[in-house]
Amino acid sequence: MRTAFYISDGTAITSEVFGHATLSMFPVEFNHQTIPFVETKKKAMEIKRLIDSTAESCGERPLVFFTFVNPELSEIILSSQGVCYDFLALASKVVKKELNVDPVPKIHRTHSIHEASYDFRIDAVNYALANDDGANIKDYEQADIILVGVSRSGKTPTSLYLALQYGIKAANYPMTEDDLEKGNFPSCLLPYKHKLFGLTINPERLSAIREGRMANSKYASLRQCRIEVREVEMLFKRHKTPYLNSTSHSVEEISAKIISETGLTRRKY
Amino acid sequence: MRTAFYISDGTAITSEVFGHATLSMFPVEFNHQTIPFVETKKKAMEIKRLIDSTAESCGERPLVFFTFVNPELSEIILSSQGVCYDFLALASKVVKKELNVDPVPKIHRTHSIHEASYDFRIDAVNYALANDDGANIKDYEQADIILVGVSRSGKTPTSLYLALQYGIKAANYPMTEDDLEKGNFPSCLLPYKHKLFGLTINPERLSAIREGRMANSKYASLRQCRIEVREVEMLFKRHKTPYLNSTSHSVEEISAKIISETGLTRRKY
């Protein structure tokens, strides 16, 4: 199998995201290797040797997606037997021409603690944990958004993703059978109706997920799941609460849709 | 302020990561706008008009980082007044030449629920939550890694990031004053010593974080923080537990360093 390397003087997350998006267009399997924090010439030489030995042992030149601030390190990687893409260099040339401003390369510019949004993100994670699953109904004043839905409809991973990636304070509240029977949101949520966003899910998928947690229970039965989903969707419609069906969406997609539909302010780019 | 648009038929996460990394090299402020899920010609036309009106109202052409599977949508964006970068198209041309294989563009290839790793990631998030802060000391058999450190040294956000991004099952256990006085890891951790990874932090930073939670407490005092940090670092050294100082690192950096040092298997690229 051919190898793809993602290399950088920082986390190499940018190299990975770009390289992975590029390679995912091709029907070819790769052995992926990420090598972060290549910050010295010695380390870069070691990686060059690794690329070379990989090329020799596998008989095909590895693809190398890399980005460095220090051009001396780039030179070392470029001298390897890999097929090397210094993908940001080209984009920065075009942007430079357009902005008529020279780049000021600086290490750890992205994905570091020095980003202005960093403390917001950690605060938001702490908030999401403290306000997970209806655990703390007194702090909704602080919430940017409150996700509501039946148990296991995807609220918790979405709250955490919104917090970690975007610094958005997302609480989440599980609509129980009792809440649904009353046919209204519980009183703790009513003052914050404008912050509610619903998640729903296909009953079949919900039942399968609940089976994994409590096999053969009423809770996991398809009948119960159908009732709860129908009632929660009716509630969303009656209150004009925006909602989306999480069944075939990842947390990344659900989060992007929520931000796009609500216009929530992200604290990170 | 000049505007930068990040546009895609999916989440636009790839456009954002690439565009943001490029622009972060320049000492220029931008108004960032992400527009995900542009999946129809009608929507693309609407976005083209938004780009054009932004160009006119602000007097400078917006920078547009975009990627579409459908070339008709690309054409519409390219016909706008923005400075447009179809950044994956170029890379895919080079890769195609190298691999001698045609790309098979498919929508939602990345960041979707269809990635093989998706269920792993959600399982890992559930695991991290159930095993946060020493909550459940019976499931360490399943852990890929167990983060240990004093209270507020960065264990929880790191566990969640490892789970959400990489599908790594990370438990975390807080070393209390009692544990530290005994001078050993608690008995629940001893069978899993090979899975332990320590996080430490500068006492001054720790004290500031703890003050935010419990002002003027013994817990937050610099003296107490110094004692705990000294003792936990001695313990890590005595047991040859790998550890790192989280003080000036983001969760992204801490996670990348942990994976790189331990050789943990990631379930997502």
Side-chain angles (χ1 to χ4, degrees):
Chain A
M1 199 186 300
R2 203 149 175 167
T3 298
F5 285 101
Y6 311 104
I7 302 173
S8 157
D9 43 16
T11 60
I13 291 174
T14 306
S15 298
E16 274 184 25
V17 170
F18 179 78
H20 179 67
T22 305
L23 297 182
S24 71
M25 291 190 277
F26 293 89
V28 175
E29 294 255 328
F30 290 91
N31 164 32
H32 303 278
Q33 278 203 50
T34 299
I35 306 175
F37 306 110
V38 179
E39 296 173 284
T40 61
K41 283 202 233 178
K42 186 173 166 234
K43 179 88 180 165
M45 284 301 300
E46 193 186 298
I47 302 310
K48 168 185 148 57
R49 284 190 295 269
L50 173 64
I51 296 169
D52 291 348
S53 67
T54 305
E56 278 153 29
S57 66
C58 118
E60 287 182 305
R61 296 168 71 200
L63 303 183
V64 181
F65 297 89
F66 76 98
T67 169
F68 289 108
V69 166
N70 178 350
E72 286 183 322
L73 302 182
S74 300
E75 289 301 324
I76 295 171
I77 299 301
L78 284 167
S79 75
S80 76
Q81 291 176 45
V83 181
C84 298
Y85 306 107
D86 189 358
F87 57 95
L88 284 181
L90 185 72
S92 100
K93 262 182 213 155
V94 187
V95 170
K96 177 188 154 159
K97 212 172 124 191
E98 181 58 35
L99 297 180
N100 212 2
V101 171
D102 280 331
V104 185
K106 210 173 125 185
I107 204 163
H108 305 314
R109 183 77 62 126
T110 55
H111 305 117
S112 93
I113 204 167
H114 305 297
E115 288 191 305
S117 59
Y118 192 73
D119 290 344
F120 271 116
R121 290 169 57 210
I122 298 302
D123 281 354
V125 170
N126 290 329
Y127 182 85
L129 286 173
N131 292 275
D132 183 37
D133 209 29
N136 183 5
I137 59 176
K138 283 182 230 143
D139 278 349
Y140 291 154
E141 189 66 50
Q142 281 186 59
D144 294 315
I145 188 167
I146 305 169
L147 302 179
V148 285
V150 302
S151 169
R152 297 285 114 187
S153 54
K155 302 179 300 299
T156 296
T158 306
S159 309
L160 291 171
Y161 192 84
L162 286 169
L164 258 176
Q165 291 295 322
Y166 301 121
I168 290 172
K169 285 189 178 172
N172 78 77
Y173 186 93
M175 296 295 292
T176 62
E177 227 185 318
D178 275 5
D179 292 325
L180 292 169
E181 269 174 18
K182 289 180 196 137
N184 201 353
F185 290 117
S187 58
C188 62
L189 293 179
L190 291 175
Y192 305 103
K193 265 182 66 179
H194 58 291
K195 296 187 182 183
L196 299 184
F197 194 100
L199 289 184
T200 183
I201 181 168
N202 293 356
E204 292 72 18
R205 172 80 184 135
L206 182 61
S207 173
I209 295 172
R210 288 182 173 185
E211 273 292 326
R213 284 173 77 90
M214 261 190 246
N216 304 316
S217 59
K218 182 187 167 204
Y219 167 78
S221 69
L222 184 55
R223 181 169 183 278
Q224 178 67 18
C225 292
R226 280 196 179 125
I227 294 172
E228 290 186 27
V229 168
R230 188 178 62 224
E231 289 183 353
V232 85
E233 289 183 359
M234 276 165 51
L235 188 62
F236 295 153
K237 283 175 194 156
R238 202 156 60 239
H239 284 276
K240 301 192 169 48
T241 303
Y243 71 98
L244 65 80
N245 187 318
S246 70
T247 310
S248 56
H249 297 302
S250 66
V251 286
E252 285 86 347
E253 290 171 331
I254 297 168
S255 301
K257 279 176 198 282
I258 289 174
I259 292 172
S260 161
E261 282 189 29
T262 59
L264 267 182
T265 304
R266 299 161 43 145
R267 300 211 174 75
K268 178 183 194 301
Y269 260 97
Chain B
M1 199 188 297
R2 202 149 176 166
T3 298
F5 285 101
Y6 310 105
I7 302 173
S8 157
D9 44 16
T11 60
I13 291 174
T14 306
S15 298
E16 275 183 25
V17 170
F18 179 78
H20 179 66
T22 305
L23 297 182
S24 72
M25 290 190 277
F26 294 88
V28 175
E29 295 254 327
F30 290 90
N31 165 31
H32 303 277
Q33 278 202 50
T34 298
I35 306 175
F37 306 111
V38 178
E39 295 172 285
T40 61
K41 283 202 232 177
K42 187 173 165 235
K43 179 85 181 167
M45 284 301 299
E46 193 187 296
I47 303 310
K48 168 185 148 60
R49 285 191 295 270
L50 174 65
I51 296 169
D52 290 348
S53 66
T54 305
E56 278 152 30
S57 66
C58 117
E60 287 182 306
R61 297 168 70 199
L63 303 184
V64 181
F65 297 90
F66 76 98
T67 169
F68 289 108
V69 165
N70 178 350
E72 287 183 320
L73 303 182
S74 299
E75 289 301 325
I76 295 171
I77 299 301
L78 284 166
S79 75
S80 76
Q81 292 178 43
V83 182
C84 298
Y85 305 108
D86 189 358
F87 57 94
L88 283 181
L90 184 73
S92 100
K93 263 183 215 156
V94 187
V95 170
K96 178 188 154 158
K97 212 172 124 192
E98 181 58 35
L99 297 180
N100 213 3
V101 170
D102 279 331
V104 185
K106 209 173 126 185
I107 204 163
H108 305 313
R109 183 77 62 125
T110 54
H111 304 117
S112 94
I113 204 168
H114 306 297
E115 287 191 306
S117 59
Y118 191 73
D119 290 344
F120 270 117
R121 289 168 58 210
I122 297 303
D123 281 352
V125 170
N126 291 328
Y127 182 85
L129 286 172
N131 292 276
D132 183 37
D133 211 27
N136 185 4
I137 59 175
K138 283 181 231 142
D139 278 349
Y140 292 153
E141 189 67 48
Q142 280 185 59
D144 294 315
I145 188 169
I146 305 168
L147 302 178
V148 285
V150 302
S151 168
R152 299 285 116 186
S153 53
K155 302 180 299 299
T156 297
T158 306
S159 310
L160 291 171
Y161 192 84
L162 286 168
L164 258 174
Q165 291 295 324
Y166 301 120
I168 289 173
K169 286 190 176 169
N172 77 78
Y173 186 94
M175 295 296 292
T176 62
E177 226 185 318
D178 274 4
D179 292 324
L180 291 169
E181 269 173 17
K182 287 180 197 138
N184 201 352
F185 290 116
S187 56
C188 62
L189 294 179
L190 291 175
Y192 305 102
K193 264 184 66 180
H194 58 292
K195 296 186 181 183
L196 300 183
F197 194 100
L199 289 183
T200 183
I201 181 169
N202 292 356
E204 292 72 20
R205 172 78 184 136
L206 181 62
S207 173
I209 296 172
R210 289 184 172 184
E211 273 293 324
R213 286 173 77 88
M214 260 190 245
N216 302 315
S217 59
K218 181 187 168 204
Y219 168 77
S221 69
L222 184 55
R223 181 168 182 279
Q224 178 66 20
C225 291
R226 280 197 179 125
I227 294 172
E228 290 185 27
V229 168
R230 190 179 60 224
E231 288 183 354
V232 86
E233 289 184 359
M234 275 165 50
L235 188 62
F236 294 154
K237 282 175 197 158
R238 203 158 57 238
H239 284 276
K240 299 192 170 52
T241 304
Y243 71 99
L244 66 82
N245 187 318
S246 70
T247 310
S248 55
H249 298 300
S250 67
V251 286
E252 285 86 346
E253 291 171 331
I254 297 168
S255 301
K257 278 176 199 281
I258 289 174
I259 292 171
S260 161
E261 281 189 31
T262 59
L264 268 182
T265 304
R266 300 162 42 145
R267 301 212 173 74
K268 178 185 194 299
Y269 258 96

